[in-house]
Amino acid sequence: MTVQAPDELASLEAGLDALELHEEPRLPRWRKALTTAWPPVVAVGLLLLGWELAYRAGAKPTYALPSPADVGLVLLEQLRDGTFAEAVSTSVSRGGLGFLIALAVGTPLGLLVGRVRAVRRGIGPILSGLQSLPSIAWVPAAIIFFGLGEAAIYAVVLLGAVPSIANGLVSGIDQVPPLYLRVGRVLGARGLTSARHVLLPAVLPAYLAGLRQGWAFSWRSLMAAELIVSSPELGLGLGQLLDQGRLLNDMSLVFAGILGILVVGIAVELCLFAPLERRVLRRRGLLLSG
Amino acid sequence: MTLLDTFTPARALPEPLPDGVAVRLSGVSKRFGDGPTVLEDISLDVREGEFVCLLGASGCGKSTLLNLVAGLDSPSAGAVRVPGGRAALMFQESALLPWLTASQNVELALRLRGVGRRQRRERSAELLDLVRLRDAGGKRVHELSGGMRQRVAMARALAQESGVLLMDEPFAALDAITRDVLHEELVRLRESQQLTVLFVTHNVREAVRLGDRVVLLSSRPGRIAREYPVECRQPRRIESPGVSSLSVAITEDLRTEIRRHGGQS
């Protein structure tokens, strides 16, 4: 009977390891950027083309359907006199602050609902119900309660975003593989140590997804609130800009406002949440291709 | 060897065990709630440095037994005694935490024992070296093959320095070639680290290949049916004649045990 000497076992293992590992070839960065960039560019181009054709065909009177160029001009003008920048920065800072408050409220709330059974039975269903309630429904109540002011706007934003963030955390906690918790216990993690080293890292991807949705809800709720809650003291946000366009019957301004809202939403998604999520998922091998 | 010097089996005994006994189960029974009895009157001593394989068909409560020894669950009757009250446990899946690298997984075990940062780093490098994964420390779990994952899990279990290693079908999900290599690796580690091992499997040959003693459990409820000392000496292989002949005999007994559940008698 032959039995391998230890160094023979070592080389056998090294061979097996080498056979089972395969490095994935990585595309150069610029090529990846190119392959991901062209489809949306083409889609936007086609959309603009369709719009221009509809305008030329006179599908609607010009006041209702301005040409892309008209909208571009209005946008340029708004950009030049600083109105647009003001509206964007007002809205973004409101949205950002509202989101941060929602984060600070939603995170402990989610942990509580996720980990304490009585709390889950009590407010779990309410929380998921709230998530499907359009936050614009809160606007009248917020105005009556807080008056026409920032407080009303933030109230609507929070009611929109907090349930998303909390629910993301709850579903994340539910999906933590029990095996990880057992491993933590075997290694000697209890209570807070276990939460810190096992539960929270395990929950991170779902939490991030919740945050992403929470931001989307904040932004949407903010626009709903700004459209309705407007007064001279409040300052000009994108929603108020939209409302101004409607009052002036200025469709180009309305379109410019919508464009602004869209661009901010996409920018936050692309620059903040998407890279963050991708990074977390890639580290865990949950992302298939680079 | 420096590793041997730093490896100190836990000696703090809350209830003293007789010399040379690493794990003692006395009259252990377990049932969950009002369900059927899973384990009935199990009494088993595992000597220090011994390699015991628990063998049985489905429903023999093998995993339940390991959970009791690991302290993840407590027996309904009887007592389980392990030095220091804790043992390292390895699962069928590597159960490495995917948000950590290989070496961070090992370091977590050290960290939870209160080992300082610098020592953690050194020790985890030593342990990964021991399972021959020196260069894989920075890799994430998904970048490792199944066999490599189980070796990291082994390093992590060794980091607990409990002296007793519990293994719950750790190689069941691996391909035959890798499993064969890991058997050899485990035997080597067990000798160099003077481990006491309690190994659960449903694979007769694996049990005979690895164990100094094979304990056959009956099913529903799990009781100790028979014990077999393995006389064929290490180093041996899964295809060694001594392993074969004992496996044949044990398989016969195992089949007899299983038949009792199908018949009308």
Side-chain angles (χ1 to χ4, degrees):
Chain A
M1 186 177 76
T2 57
V3 167
Q4 277 133 346
D7 51 344
E8 256 179 281
L9 176 59
S11 57
L12 182 62
E13 261 175 7
L16 262 185
D17 292 350
L19 283 176
E20 295 207 31
L21 290 184
H22 28 80
E23 302 277 317
E24 279 170 36
R26 280 202 164 184
L27 281 175
R29 199 162 254 234
W30 65 270
R31 273 193 56 192
K32 218 158 64 187
L34 208 67
T35 46
T36 48
W38 73 261
V41 168
V42 169
V44 169
L46 285 174
L47 206 66
L48 285 175
L49 188 71
W51 177 3
E52 179 70 30
L53 288 177
Y55 168 75
R56 298 222 171 151
K60 278 274 183 185
T62 332
Y63 74 86
L65 184 70
S67 75
D70 292 338
V71 175
L73 282 177
V74 170
L75 200 57
L76 268 181
E77 193 184 307
Q78 297 275 331
L79 280 172
R80 204 172 307 139
D81 70 7
T83 327
F84 201 73
E86 187 203 325
V88 168
S89 83
T90 308
S91 287
V92 167
S93 58
R94 276 181 191 152
L97 185 63
F99 175 71
L100 288 180
I101 301 173
L103 188 75
V105 177
T107 306
L109 186 65
L111 283 175
L112 215 61
V113 174
R115 294 299 284 172
V116 185
R117 198 166 291 170
V119 179
R120 151 124 20 160
R121 293 217 180 105
I123 61 177
I126 303 178
L127 213 57
S128 32
L130 274 181
Q131 210 181 349
S132 56
L133 185 76
S135 46
I136 197 162
W138 289 110
V139 175
I143 293 176
I144 295 173
F145 203 82
F146 294 105
L148 279 177
E150 297 261 325
I153 295 181
Y154 283 120
V156 174
V157 169
L158 288 190
L159 283 163
V162 169
S164 303
I165 295 176
N167 278 324
L169 204 47
V170 172
S171 67
I173 289 173
D174 289 347
Q175 287 162 19
V176 171
L179 186 63
Y180 293 164
L181 300 175
R182 285 179 71 202
V183 163
R185 281 190 60 193
V186 169
L187 296 180
R190 301 276 185 281
L192 278 181
T193 335
S194 171
R196 170 156 179 240
H197 290 293
V198 183
L199 185 72
L200 291 180
V203 160
L204 190 61
Y207 181 53
L208 275 183
L211 290 190
R212 186 179 194 167
Q213 211 193 359
W215 161 256
F217 272 67
S218 304
W219 190 238
R220 267 187 241 177
S221 314
L222 178 67
M223 288 309 121
E226 280 188 348
L227 258 176
I228 299 173
V229 184
S230 60
S231 70
E233 309 89 67
L234 262 183
L236 188 75
L238 279 167
Q240 280 112 0
L241 192 75
L242 267 185
D243 198 42
Q244 219 173 65
R246 179 185 66 86
L247 287 172
L248 301 172
N249 220 3
D250 182 350
M251 193 57 156
S252 298
L253 185 58
V254 170
F255 270 143
I258 290 178
L259 216 60
I261 296 171
L262 205 62
V263 166
V264 171
I266 294 174
V268 170
E269 167 73 27
L270 281 187
C271 303
L272 191 65
F273 290 107
L276 209 61
E277 205 165 26
R278 215 167 32 229
R279 208 180 131 194
V280 167
L281 294 184
R282 179 179 298 141
R283 291 175 87 179
R284 298 173 188 219
L286 295 173
L287 211 60
L288 281 182
S289 57
Chain B
M1 185 173 184
T2 54
L3 275 168
L4 277 181
D5 300 334
T6 53
F7 188 81
T8 44
R11 287 232 168 74
L13 304 181
E15 296 173 68
L17 282 166
D19 259 2
V21 176
V23 180
R24 167 165 285 180
L25 295 129
S26 24
V28 169
S29 297
K30 177 72 187 174
R31 58 190 298 202
F32 294 97
D34 295 330
T37 306
V38 183
L39 292 170
E40 192 171 79
D41 195 24
I42 305 264
S43 293
L44 178 71
D45 273 1
V46 182
R47 290 187 300 279
E48 256 170 44
E50 195 185 13
F51 198 131
V52 173
C53 289
L54 290 173
L55 182 71
S58 314
C60 70
K62 296 173 291 206
S63 301
T64 308
L65 189 61
L66 277 198
N67 283 344
L68 294 180
V69 180
L72 290 176
D73 213 337
S74 45
S76 314
V80 178
R81 281 189 287 168
V82 184
R86 55 193 194 87
L89 173 59
M90 269 180 73
F91 304 90
Q92 181 173 337
E93 304 101 297
S94 69
L96 297 176
L97 303 177
W99 53 88
L100 299 176
T101 61
S103 63
Q104 283 169 340
N105 265 286
V106 178
E107 279 173 44
L108 180 62
L110 297 164
R111 184 170 182 174
L112 291 170
R113 286 178 42 224
V115 179
R117 179 189 295 258
R118 260 209 26 220
Q119 277 175 296
R120 283 206 298 265
R121 195 151 302 164
E122 283 172 17
R123 184 80 182 120
S124 96
E126 280 175 356
L127 288 167
L128 285 175
D129 200 24
L130 190 67
V131 295
R132 293 195 255 256
L133 284 172
R134 189 187 326 180
D135 302 326
K139 289 217 186 301
R140 304 245 161 221
V141 177
H142 67 96
E143 297 173 299
L144 301 171
S145 70
M148 294 167 93
R149 285 179 204 177
Q150 284 302 18
R151 275 147 67 202
V152 176
M154 244 187 247
R156 182 174 67 179
L158 291 177
Q160 292 186 252
E161 300 197 358
S162 69
V164 176
L165 180 56
L166 310 174
M167 305 181 92
D168 192 354
E169 303 192 32
F171 307 137
L174 301 175
D175 65 87
I177 299 172
T178 307
R179 190 183 311 139
D180 193 35
V181 170
L182 284 194
H183 283 161
E184 216 162 323
E185 187 70 55
L186 176 59
V187 168
R188 184 182 69 88
L189 282 175
R190 172 258 177 142
E191 257 154 43
S192 75
Q193 305 297 300
Q194 298 175 307
L195 295 172
T196 305
V197 186
L198 192 54
F199 189 103
V200 154
T201 181
H202 56 236
N203 182 332
V204 179
R205 275 183 176 252
E206 179 171 71
V208 178
R209 156 81 178 87
L210 293 170
D212 303 327
R213 180 153 58 111
V214 176
V215 175
L216 179 65
L217 295 173
S218 65
S219 295
R220 286 189 201 139
R223 283 195 210 104
I224 294 184
R226 254 189 93 172
E227 294 192 17
Y228 310 82
V230 181
E231 257 119 39
C232 172
R233 300 199 37 193
Q234 296 282 12
R236 53 182 182 250
R237 300 284 295 268
I238 199 131
E239 62 273 13
S240 303
V243 172
S244 279
S245 55
L246 183 54
S247 298
V248 171
I250 298 179
T251 304
E252 240 356 278
D253 290 350
L254 180 61
R255 288 181 169 204
T256 312
E257 278 300 323
I258 293 170
R259 259 186 224 113
R260 291 196 305 118
H261 292 272
Q264 304 297 315
S265 54

